[in-house]
Amino acid sequence: METRFKDILAAHQRISRFIHKTPIFTSHTCNAQTGRSVFFKSENLQRTGSFKLRGALNAVLTLKEKDESLKGVITHSTGNHGQAVAFAASLSDLPCIVVVPDDTPTVKMDAIRSYGADLVQCEPTPTSRKSTCDRLAVERGLSFIPPYDDYTVIAGQGTIALEFLEAVPDLDAILVPTSGGGMVAGIAIAAKAIKPGIKIFAVEPHGKMLGGCLQAGGRLWPNPPQFLDTIADAIRTQQIGHLTWPIIMQHVEKEVFTATSEDIIVGMRFAFERMKLVVEAASGTVIWAAMSDKMRCMDPGMKNIGVVLSGGNVDIDKLPWLP
């Protein structure tokens, strides 16, 4: 099994009545500074506050189509995917458990509970998240909805590209914040099917090592999996998923943008101050990348740049530039 373009088209038909067709913004200041036309796809204004709803909805609704006796769903998440699965489960009247690291921002845990899910906290490691989730799934007979490494989730995230290229068909490149790789994989499949010459760039937090892995053509990450020390809590998973990895190898540029926490703050502040948009740190990575010296030095033929603002679930009492 794999995710194909037709699966993304089917996912869009399946979920479109439940999601927002998120707006696209431009910034004169950004365009002037970059010398390019930059278009911001604002998934921070999606229901539940992030792009994650697309994949979660497609996964839950697909499970319901296949099994009407579905007992419920479970997932693990740093927040955004958990909120999305909880909301998707509520639409389908399904019980839901979300396993979260105990250092997850309070604003995200409160939101998960608000959608009716039961919250279970675990140690802040990928291994603890997985083992806790696996145990509860078996004990309670629940179906697991992976955060990224699942073909129905990947297909749901790919619907972003359908909307983006419908609105801005002349895009030459798209910048995508990257954690486990579900969004960048889905966007890459759809965008390349619609416009084969388009470039898809992954943007990562410092320490992720994705650029080195892509250039080497292999998974160089240390085991066991770990979380990165970054202010971008939504994308702190170091390793790309095993299902998303070959898709990214095939369709995503080997040149990766790597953002430090200081870079991320620059991007976030630009959105807050100049665009009047509330974005989380993961979105700050791609704003910074679009305006970076690295982008300025790239092919001037890339005139129209798409930027995916992945989410806006930020604790406004703990903005990273506040003392």
Side-chain angles (χ1 to χ4, degrees):
M1 183 180 176
E2 60 181 341
T3 301
R4 297 156 294 182
F5 183 52
K6 69 176 186 179
D7 299 316
I8 295 172
L9 294 173
H12 196 253
Q13 184 175 23
R14 186 177 291 115
I15 71 176
S16 59
R17 71 183 186 275
F18 300 111
I19 65 171
H20 294 320
K21 189 174 184 178
T22 51
I24 296 168
F25 293 99
T26 58
S27 164
H28 174 78
T29 301
C30 181
N31 291 348
Q33 289 187 19
T34 61
R36 306 174 195 260
S37 296
V38 183
F39 301 87
F40 298 89
K41 178 68 166 163
S42 298
E43 288 294 294
N44 57 311
L45 300 179
Q46 185 56 263
R47 297 179 79 172
T48 74
S50 86
F51 77 96
K52 287 285 193 176
L53 182 61
R54 296 172 182 267
L57 259 176
N58 192 48
V60 170
L61 294 176
T62 300
L63 281 175
K64 282 270 305 188
E65 290 171 7
K66 294 179 177 179
D67 182 7
E68 292 184 359
S69 63
L70 190 66
K71 292 182 178 180
V73 294
I74 186 170
T75 195
H76 55 74
S77 169
T78 55
N80 286 340
H81 178 67
Q83 291 179 55
V85 172
F87 182 71
S90 72
L91 290 178
S92 298
D93 295 321
L94 289 171
C96 176
I97 294 177
V98 179
V99 176
V100 298
D102 56 19
D103 61 351
T104 299
T106 301
V107 65
K108 293 186 177 183
M109 290 196 287
D110 289 345
I112 292 169
R113 291 189 183 98
S114 76
Y115 296 125
D118 292 330
L119 204 65
V120 175
Q121 297 186 43
C122 67
E123 294 179 5
T125 66
T127 300
S128 178
R129 279 189 1 177
K130 183 178 185 304
S131 62
T132 303
C133 198
D134 289 347
R135 175 177 57 80
L136 290 171
V138 171
E139 288 177 359
R140 307 194 189 183
L142 303 177
S143 296
F144 176 51
I145 307 292
Y148 49 83
D149 223 17
D150 176 88
Y151 291 125
T152 56
V153 170
I154 294 168
Q157 318 306 24
T159 62
I160 296 169
L162 301 182
E163 294 179 11
F164 215 160
L165 283 164
E166 178 185 37
V168 191
D170 294 332
L171 285 179
D172 298 305
I174 303 176
L175 299 172
V176 188
T178 303
S179 184
M183 176 165 57
V184 71
I187 285 175
I189 292 168
K192 291 286 187 177
I194 297 168
K195 189 175 183 181
I198 196 169
K199 295 182 182 296
I200 308 300
F201 290 99
V203 184
E204 65 176 3
H206 179 70
K208 186 170 182 62
M209 301 169 49
L210 177 56
C213 291
L214 288 174
Q215 290 168 19
R219 299 177 65 89
L220 306 179
W221 294 288
N223 283 307
Q226 58 186 288
F227 289 139
L228 300 172
D229 181 14
T230 174
I231 64 170
D233 62 278
I235 55 171
R236 61 178 177 163
T237 298
Q238 186 182 41
Q239 295 193 16
I240 293 293
H242 289 276
L243 299 184
T244 58
W245 169 250
I247 299 170
I248 292 168
M249 273 293 299
Q250 180 179 355
H251 294 299
V252 175
E253 298 300 309
K254 303 301 185 285
E255 192 74 20
V256 174
F257 290 81
T258 302
T260 65
S261 288
E262 290 74 21
D263 296 329
I264 293 168
I265 289 172
V266 169
M268 285 185 72
R269 290 193 69 146
F270 185 87
F272 274 70
E273 295 173 355
R274 304 308 297 265
M275 299 179 69
K276 314 307 176 189
L277 289 173
V278 173
V279 299
E280 62 192 30
S283 299
T285 65
V286 281
I287 300 170
W288 164 80
M291 303 177 71
S292 66
D293 290 339
K294 183 172 183 173
M295 176 58 77
R296 291 190 190 96
C297 294
M298 283 189 166
D299 179 6
M302 291 193 302
K303 298 183 183 299
N304 300 310
I305 308 298
V307 173
V308 181
L309 301 181
S310 53
N313 292 319
V314 60
D315 187 343
I316 60 174
D317 292 324
K318 296 180 180 178
L319 295 174
W321 54 83
L322 294 178

